[in-house]
Amino acid sequence: MAKYKTLDDFDVKNKVVLVRVDFNSEIDPETKNVTSDVRIKAHAESTLKELAEKGAKTVVLAHQGRKGDPDYTSLKQHAEILQKILKCPVKYVDDLFGEKAKAAIKDLKSGEILVLENVRSWDKETKSMTPEEASKTELIQNLAPLADLFVNDAFAAAHRGHVSMVGFTAVLPSAAGRIMERELKSLSKALEKPEKPSVYVMGGAKADDSLEISKYVLGNGIADYVLTGGVTGQLFLAAKGSDLGKGNMSFLAKKELTGLIPGIKALIDQFGEKVVVPIDFALEVNGKRTEISINKLPTENSIMDIGSKTVEKYSRIIATAKSIVVSGPMGVYENKEFNQGTKGVFEAIANSKAFSLAGGGNTIAAIQEYGLTKKISYISTAGGALIEFLMGKKLPGVVALENAVTTKKI
Ligand code: 3PG
């Protein structure tokens, strides 16, 4: 069982509760508008709603993008979205730990929610530190004395040992929020004692991540099969010795993925048939979909999707599974000509009776587009944190919660 405390362990009525959430959302680079409120909604409808209903004075800390990136914005808009979702007033202050922020915190009444400015407006936030080091910074030194409890609900940022993710746990009693709790419970279910057979479906273009996850889950007997698709599937097939054709091979080289081939070969040598690669592909020929068996490779046309024989093969394996983890699409699903592979495999997952877990921006977008959201057992709000969790890594944000102090130290 988890070693961290939860909201069940504290009486929050009239208490100032600092809540770190992950509101980091997709932003339209032109208008700077938030285009997906999935994460804001998740925190709003669970932890933040509960704290408000229990009469806490809630102070929300979050980040959006990184300075210099197109998705870096203030959190004013996030506060407005939160207000719409919760249907109650949400305050916002364009200050993080200065006099304005402190005055707004002291002004809070029971049940009220205040959103502070983007934590990344303060440059030190993104430095990775130990909780003790972080606790000595201005952010923690200024905010912690005003608070009674720290709640970390930002599972999606838990792979970052950033100041606001770890520092408060060294000086304030701390608890996991409901999203943090839900993510950790669901992900542990997929990773610790998955019901067998357990199938991992690894697609998308982040073949380095897929390789690390495959090594971990096959090496530790967590997965019985890894099914590969997308760019990952192409690279795994190339590692088995297939020549995909000049254009496709140089695409993989340009993405600096061919260096992974020796590691993939070693994985395939060790786990053989458990590592499953595509048996056909969909190519782009004059803008149209044309399928080709891998026996007919190499090709001068671009590989855009897995083929229908691969979908059938993967669907048969998925039908036998008792637990499934899926991350990454099977092809260029944004283009209607080439979404059949992703749609077919994701439908097979949705139709299976297995416990199914999905995560990652593209995966979630595709699941939503095909109307499969309700048929997936658990959809994670996380991207990078989920990947690191599936690689078996300890997440600094979670470790800090587990080692949190029990009494106020500031
Ligand atoms: C994410 O979206 O994965 C988290 O919010 C972390 O964001 P970062 O990659 O900018 O640290």
Side-chain angles (χ1 to χ4, degrees), residues 89-137:
V90 170
K91 297 180 173 175
Y92 162 77
V93 62
D94 60 349
D95 185 22
L96 184 58
F97 56 77
E99 291 314 313
K100 261 207 246 173
K102 287 185 191 170
I105 295 172
K106 285 179 192 153
D107 233 31
L108 278 174
K109 313 239 166 358
S110 166
E112 287 186 343
I113 298 177
L114 167 71
V115 176
L116 298 181
E117 186 48 291
N118 189 340
V119 275
R120 291 186 180 174
S121 61
W122 174 61
D123 289 337
K124 259 190 223 158
E125 162 64 9
T126 47
K127 306 256 180 304
S128 290
M129 296 188 200
T130 65
E132 279 66 33
E133 284 162 356
S135 71
K136 299 194 173 72
T137 64

Side-chain angles (χ1 to χ4, degrees), residues 231-274:
V231 175
T232 299
Q234 294 178 40
L235 192 70
F236 274 57
L237 187 68
K240 280 191 112 175
S242 282
D243 177 4
L244 309 180
K246 225 165 138 199
N248 293 307
M249 293 306 287
S250 65
F251 171 79
L252 296 177
K254 240 190 254 152
K255 296 248 166 215
E256 294 178 359
L257 294 174
T258 36
L260 297 172
I261 286 180
I264 300 172
K265 262 191 188 144
L267 181 86
I268 293 171
D269 285 348
Q270 191 178 355
F271 296 105
E273 298 303 305
K274 291 183 170 203

Side-chain angles (χ1 to χ4, degrees), residues 22 24 39 63 65-66 120 126 156-157 159-160 162 381-385:
D22 191 336
N24 197 29
R39 282 185 174 172
H63 72 276
R66 288 182 183 229
R120 291 186 180 174
T126 47
H159 56 317
R160 307 289 182 215
H162 293 172
T381 57

Side-chain angles (χ1 to χ4, degrees), residues 186-396:
S186 305
L187 301 187
S188 302
K189 192 167 165 185
L191 212 56
E192 277 159 20
K193 280 196 196 101
E195 266 200 81
K196 300 297 200 106
S198 157
V199 174
Y200 274 57
V201 183
M202 300 276 104
K206 292 183 185 156
D208 45 351
D209 289 345
S210 300
L211 174 60
E212 286 309 309
I213 294 173
S214 302
K215 275 192 208 162
Y216 181 74
V217 295
L218 288 170
N220 288 284
I222 295 163
D224 299 296
Y225 292 101
V226 171
L227 313 183
T228 61
V231 175
T232 299
Q234 294 178 40
L235 192 70
F236 274 57
L237 187 68
K240 280 191 112 175
S242 282
D243 177 4
L244 309 180
K246 225 165 138 199
N248 293 307
M249 293 306 287
S250 65
F251 171 79
L252 296 177
K254 240 190 254 152
K255 296 248 166 215
E256 294 178 359
L257 294 174
T258 36
L260 297 172
I261 286 180
I264 300 172
K265 262 191 188 144
L267 181 86
I268 293 171
D269 285 348
Q270 191 178 355
F271 296 105
E273 298 303 305
K274 291 183 170 203
V275 183
V276 191
V277 296
I279 51 172
D280 61 349
F281 285 122
L283 308 175
E284 179 167 16
V285 181
N286 300 325
K288 291 272 169 238
R289 180 185 183 98
T290 302
E291 296 203 357
I292 176 185
S293 157
I294 58 162
N295 303 327
K296 296 274 182 319
L297 292 170
T299 173
E300 285 316 305
N301 298 101
S302 298
I303 299 173
M304 302 292 275
D305 193 11
I306 56 170
S308 42
K309 295 270 181 312
T310 305
V311 173
E312 278 169 29
K313 180 174 178 180
Y314 286 9
S315 300
R316 276 197 300 275
I317 299 173
I318 287 165
T320 67
K322 291 263 170 53
S323 48
I324 303 163
V325 172
V326 55
S327 180
M330 298 289 105
V332 186
Y333 77 100
E334 303 90 333
N335 180 333
K336 289 261 175 303
E337 287 288 318
F338 303 106
N339 76 359
Q340 288 173 27
T342 304
K343 192 160 187 273
V345 169
F346 284 19
E347 278 174 351
I349 296 169
N351 291 332
S352 113
K353 293 201 165 47
F355 171 80
S356 53
L357 186 149
N362 288 334
T363 309
I364 297 171
I367 287 171
Q368 281 173 339
E369 190 182 322
Y370 308 141
L372 303 174
T373 308
K374 292 216 169 80
K375 296 175 97 180
I376 304 292
S377 318
Y378 187 73
I379 297 180
S380 174
T381 57
L386 171 67
I387 300 289
E388 293 204 13
F389 190 92
L390 294 177
M391 287 176 190
K393 292 191 182 166
K394 287 259 170 215
L395 307 183

Side-chain angles (χ1 to χ4, degrees), residues 121-191:
S121 61
W122 174 61
D123 289 337
K124 259 190 223 158
E125 162 64 9
T126 47
K127 306 256 180 304
S128 290
M129 296 188 200
T130 65
E132 279 66 33
E133 284 162 356
S135 71
K136 299 194 173 72
T137 64
E138 308 91 281
L139 177 80
I140 313 294
Q141 291 286 320
N142 278 286
L143 294 183
L146 305 178
D148 300 293
L149 176 69
F150 172 66
V151 171
N152 194 341
D153 208 23
F155 174 78
H159 56 317
R160 307 289 182 215
H162 293 172
V163 175
S164 68
M165 291 297 298
V166 300
F168 293 105
T169 63
V171 288
L172 283 176
S174 304
R178 298 304 185 198
I179 295 295
M180 176 70 86
E181 234 189 306
R182 191 181 83 186
E183 294 272 9
L184 289 171
K185 277 189 190 150
S186 305
L187 301 187
S188 302
K189 192 167 165 185
L191 212 56

